[in-house]
């Protein structure tokens, strides 16, 4: 393998992210403690936009749309660790309907990735007969999802 090709492939591998390195954390209500959600296995950050149809008779038979509001949500799942402070806090947040400040980080590079204020809209616990007890936490953003990597590089933020 040529040295140029080796360098190029190595560079690509070094910039790829491994899902196992990405963590969801939540701030306690006082803002003093950041807790990584215990038992995490999967994390999905959903970013969507509304669209509105604006088709008219002169659209030549094609639907036309414009973009509306943006929204975000996070789906997180894993092994349920009831005794961990993060799951105690999630249970409290669910019961009290309070928003929570969340942060997604890359634990390998110690880089903050995303953050925002969210509502915990779903927090089921599943106990299958033949497997570990698991949880799913669905958080719906309220306001902007902040790209913390870009914010760190932008001196005006």
């Amino acid at each position: 393998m040529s040295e140029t090709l080796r360098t190029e492939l190595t560079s690509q591998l070094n910039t790829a992210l491994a899902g196992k390195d990405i963590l969801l954390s939540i701030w306690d209500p006082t803002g003093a403690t950041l807790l990584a959600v215990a038992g995490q296995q999967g994390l999905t950050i959903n970013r969507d936009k509304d669209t509105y149809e604006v088709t008219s008779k002169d659209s030549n038979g094609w639907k036309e749309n414009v973009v509306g509001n943006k929204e975000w949500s996070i789906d997180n799942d894993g092994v349920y660790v009831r005794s961990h402070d993060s799951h105690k806090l999630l249970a409290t947040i669910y019961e009290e309907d309070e928003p929570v400040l969340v942060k997604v980080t890359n634990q390998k590079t110690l880089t903050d990735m995303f953050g925002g204020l969210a509502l915990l809209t779903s927090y089921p616990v599943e106990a299958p007969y033949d497997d570990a007890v698991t949880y799913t936490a669905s958080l719906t953003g309220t306001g902007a999802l902040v790209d913390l990597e870009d914010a760190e590089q932008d001196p005006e933020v």
Side-chain angles (χ1 to χ4, degrees), residues 53-91:
E53 185 180 341
V54 294
T55 306
S56 64
K57 289 182 179 181
D58 59 352
S59 296
N60 296 320
W62 291 94
K63 283 187 178 182
E64 294 179 350
N65 296 281
V66 295
V67 175
N69 293 325
K70 295 181 273 264
E71 64 181 336
W72 64 274
S73 62
I74 293 177
D75 296 315
N76 182 248
D77 63 72
V79 177
Y80 183 57
V81 186
R82 179 187 167 104
S83 63
H84 194 270
D85 287 344
S86 62
H87 285 279
K88 291 177 183 177
L89 180 55
L90 284 170

Side-chain angles (χ1 to χ4, degrees), residues 27-33 89 92-93 96:
W27 289 95
D28 75 353
T30 68
T33 305
L89 180 55
T92 300
I93 291 165
E96 295 179 1

Side-chain angles (χ1 to χ4, degrees), residues 105-124:
T105 57
N106 182 331
Q107 69 175 351
K108 183 177 181 181
T109 62
L110 302 177
T111 305
D112 295 336
M113 296 176 67
F114 297 100
L117 196 59
L119 302 169
L120 181 60
T121 55
S122 180
Y123 185 50

